[in-house]
Amino acid sequence: MVTAPRPTGNVRDDVLALLRQANERRFGIAVHLVAALGEFFRETGTTLGGLRDGLLAGHVSGMDQVLDRAVERGEVPGIRLDTDQGAVMPG
């Protein structure tokens, strides 16, 4: 799970730091995880998406945290982006 990095003071650098962190952590983990769980998924009829949904239930994304800080600093207007659906919603 990727969490919001330390605040950098501006939304651009916060987002870049978050994306770098996600890239570093997820690539290696994903390759090994999918390979190791392939047989399990075949035997149980479950999917990687189902596992993801269970792990992320109730979790506030790092991107949401970065955007909340940007709103607090006045860098972006007080709207919320629904990162799961890509919709702009009133904040």
Side-chain angles (χ1 to χ4, degrees):
M1 209 172 301
V2 177
T3 59
R6 288 184 155 178
T8 63
N10 67 74
V11 69
R12 179 189 177 277
D13 292 336
D14 283 354
V15 171
L16 287 173
L18 179 70
L19 294 174
R20 285 185 185 114
Q21 178 185 4
N23 188 46
E24 290 170 4
R25 289 188 179 187
R26 289 184 179 162
F27 179 75
I29 292 171
V31 171
H32 293 290
L33 182 65
V34 171
L37 292 176
E39 185 64 26
F40 170 78
F41 292 139
R42 280 190 290 281
E43 289 178 7
T44 62
T46 57
T47 65
L48 187 57
L51 176 62
R52 178 190 180 278
D53 292 344
L55 291 173
L56 296 180
H59 173 71
V60 177
S61 76
M63 184 61 76
D64 284 341
Q65 294 173 38
V66 165
L67 293 175
D68 287 343
R69 291 192 309 231
V71 169
E72 289 173 9
R73 289 189 301 256
E75 290 184 87
V76 296
I79 59 171
R80 293 289 303 140
L81 294 176
D82 184 338
T83 53
D84 290 335
Q85 302 298 321
V88 177
M89 303 166 62

